[in-house]
Amino acid sequence: MQQMTGARMVVEAMKRENVEVVFGYPGGAIMNVYDEIYKHRYFQHILTRHEQAAVHAADGYARATGKVGVAFVTSGPGFTNAVTGLATAYMDSIPIVVISGQVPMSMIGTDAFQEIDAVGISRPCTKHNFLVKDVKELPFILKEAFYLAKSGRPGPVHVDIPKDVTAQIGEFDYPQEMRLETYKPTYKGNMRQIKKAVEAIAKAKKPVFYLGGGIVRSGAYELVREFVSFTQIPAVETLMARGVLRYDDPMLLGMVGMHGTYAANMAMSEADLLIALGPRFDDRVTGKLSEFAKYAEIIHVDIDPSSIGKLVHVDYPIVGDLKNVLKEMIPLAKEKVDSARYENWREILKRYQELHPLSYEDSGEVLKPEWVIQRVGEKLKGRARISTDVGQHQMWTAQFYPFTRPEEFITSGGLGTMGFGFPAAMGVKRGVPDEIAINFSGDGSILMNIQELITAVEYRLPVINIVLNNHYLGMVRQWQTFFYDKRYAETDLSMQPDFVKVAESFGGIGYRVETKEEFDRALEEAISKNVVAIIDVIVDRYENVLPMVPAGGSLYNMLLEYKD
Amino acid sequence: MSERRVISVIVSNEHGVLTRITGLFAARGYNIETLTVAPIPDSKYSRLTIVTSGSPRVIEQIIKQLHKLIPVYKVIEHEELIEKEMVLAKIPLGERLADVEALCKAYNGSIVNVGKDGIIVMVADEPKRVKNFVHALSTFAPKEIIRGGVVAIER
Ligand SMILES: Cc1ncc(C[n+]2csc(CCOP(=O)(O)OP(=O)(O)O)c2C)c(N)n1
Ligand SMILES: [Mg+2]
């Protein structure tokens, strides 16, 4: 067995885990590890300019590739900067490993320079965390961290390593396999429950597929597409499941929830059976719980038992990995389910779709954000990865972009983190370099990690940031318009930097556009130049995201239009 | 609809486990009435006995969330259980010793110490009976009463 320092073990473990890139930012407590990075060069290290961005980039990389994303940060402020990244990944079940330096063991608890109780802070926003107290534990913990991040319901894992532990010498016996007595996720669904669920589908008159992010994490989208296509049962997608079905799938009713389509929300409200595959019944989807799907029985398949029955009563709970469960379910359903049975139901929903399709009013005077998104879709559909920040532009992207596959749409759903989009897009670009990386952002959000322009330029990660610039914290402004009598408290962003100059000063390229022609030209040029870009698109200031279910309202009570 | 439940949790003996458990209760607004912890002899596990209360739905979530914690090996929802709780009390010397002794006997307890400013009594019994005992004790003007939290075992 090889003897080595704890710091060396960290880089050796990355090699064993086939880590090709680490996003990070050094500092005192983690310098031993950085010294080993310098010596060995097993992986590329990308120096972001803020720890939050390092974690978001690792997260975006993980979302786009399905691999574990990795970030390194130092103790104290380095770690606290990383916390938003951990929380973002936690809420969306994204597999990442974040390694932080810590003050030496002998100084822990003394309020030493740059000491913070990192595992105390990360506990509620990670799947699991470790404080490594002895170099002897380190190989096992590193292996366990990767194993936990990607197995079961994935999630972020945080490993806090005191500086003296990275200096200690120990044996590097890296486990080949991981088996933990206290952690055994259930992958295979209960066959009896699966049979009952299939029978419920065969008996239902108004079933709906309620597709969630679990499908993306499990890699089960092809099975889902098959299931939908032979049963001809209509489907709705959550924000996290966009792209599971192709945008042009005739069974797809669109996104469900607060900004879901009329047909999707009505389908949930009138269904007699929900076939919930990997969603978590988030309040942004269900609206008022007592009114949610109140005529429906519910089948819920999820790998996390605590997700099932957390918010609504579930009639057919199935704990297991979606891929396994669907492999069992589909052949049974092929025997039992007659797609003709749901013809009436499909007709009803088709009428709903025709009654209130997703729409917006285009204008000859000012660019509409929805047009911009559709336009990008027309040009890049299927060949670009789309990330977003948080706000109106995020919802419009979810509504109007023609998604063709999962892992195409990279967005912070659960935490709703402004500042996520750009660094995540860098991670995406690093993970899938052959595809175009677009980040739809807002004039508020883009400034929350704007420093990453320099990272993207330095490491040649040509992300195209399309800023849908409404000179507002638009989503908050919309709520103020609807629910606060237009008292626009602190949402006016008229005071703006010159985004063109900002991009240029970092070595990127900037465009400011106000017409369709200008937009087309800017997008084309940014793509062909293949450099980091900001396209500052001046859009209608007062456009609203519709439909809208007011928070706490019932899904079937949607605001469909807003007239001043 | 709130019901009292006794849950035993078997966890790995590692630092920080207790914080994970109490943190889970705190973050989700669950109730802890009593909590006892001790290592299980000859094993790498410890046993926590938690008395909590909530609606059946909340109890179900508590149990699922406990399961979800990585170092949790087992969660036992007690149905048929024997519960015991211990109580220690200090009573001033002036009180009628014989009466105190009789009371302790009635609850299978005893006087465990007689010091210069008081006597110390101990009782280990079912939580309900411990409550009654503590109530009865009040006539002797106890200076201090310390209850220990429930331990439970399945029948
Ligand atoms: C870090 C963070 N702070 C605050 C919020 C609350 N918030 C949600 S949307 C929004 C406005 C975003 O503005 P912008 O990025 O310009 O997007 P727009 O809604 O205008 O498209 C705010 C402030 C948030 N989601 N994240
Ligand atoms: Mg804005």
Side-chain angles (χ1 to χ4, degrees), chain A residues 519-547:
Chain A
F519 178 74
D520 279 350
R521 238 178 293 134
L523 182 64
E524 223 153 87
E525 197 180 302
I527 291 170
S528 67
K529 285 202 168 154
N530 202 26
V531 291
V532 185
I534 294 181
I535 306 178
D536 180 17
V537 189
I538 310 305
V539 297
D540 189 346
R541 286 198 85 185
Y542 292 101
E543 190 72 5
N544 293 314
V545 183
L546 292 167

Side-chain angles (χ1 to χ4, degrees), chain A residues 390-393 416 418 442-445 448 470 472-476:
Chain A
V390 172
Q392 292 184 306
H393 62 275
M418 289 171 69
D443 46 317
S445 298
M448 285 210 181
N470 50 16
Y472 266 123
L473 295 173
M475 186 55 95
V476 184

Side-chain angles (χ1 to χ4, degrees), chain A residues 129 181-182 304 308 311, chain B residues 20 44 57 64 68 70:
Chain A
N129 62 12
E181 269 178 69
T182 62
D304 178 2
I308 300 181
L311 293 152
Chain B
R20 289 184 205 281
K44 49 185 200 296
R57 176 84 148 273
K64 284 177 169 178
K68 199 167 155 181
I70 310 295

Side-chain angles (χ1 to χ4, degrees), chain A residues 118-159:
Chain A
V119 286
I121 292 173
S122 70
R123 187 180 41 72
C125 56
T126 51
K127 179 170 173 182
H128 198 53
N129 62 12
F130 301 90
L131 169 63
V132 186
K133 289 186 157 176
D134 191 308
V135 73
K136 285 207 242 31
E137 303 174 345
L138 189 54
F140 193 89
I141 287 177
L142 290 168
K143 177 78 192 180
E144 193 178 344
F146 278 86
Y147 171 69
L148 289 176
K150 65 190 171 200
S151 61
R153 178 179 182 169
V157 178
H158 166 219
V159 184

Side-chain angles (χ1 to χ4, degrees), chain A residues 52 84 389-396 415-419 441-448 467-477 490-491 493 496 545:
Chain A
Q52 181 188 353
T84 302
D389 270 299
V390 172
Q392 292 184 306
H393 62 275
Q394 175 189 34
M395 290 299 120
W396 285 317
L415 198 68
T417 310
M418 289 171 69
S441 187
D443 46 317
S445 298
I446 192 68
L447 287 178
M448 285 210 181
V467 177
L468 297 170
N469 191 342
N470 50 16
H471 292 76
Y472 266 123
L473 295 173
M475 186 55 95
V476 184
R477 192 280 306 153
E490 305 301 320
T491 45
L493 295 183
Q496 300 225 330
V545 183

Side-chain angles (χ1 to χ4, degrees), chain A residues 170-185:
Chain A
E171 271 178 16
F172 185 66
D173 51 346
Y174 200 69
Q176 297 287 332
E177 263 183 51
M178 234 326 95
R179 203 166 285 135
L180 298 172
E181 269 178 69
T182 62
Y183 170 80
K184 291 178 181 130

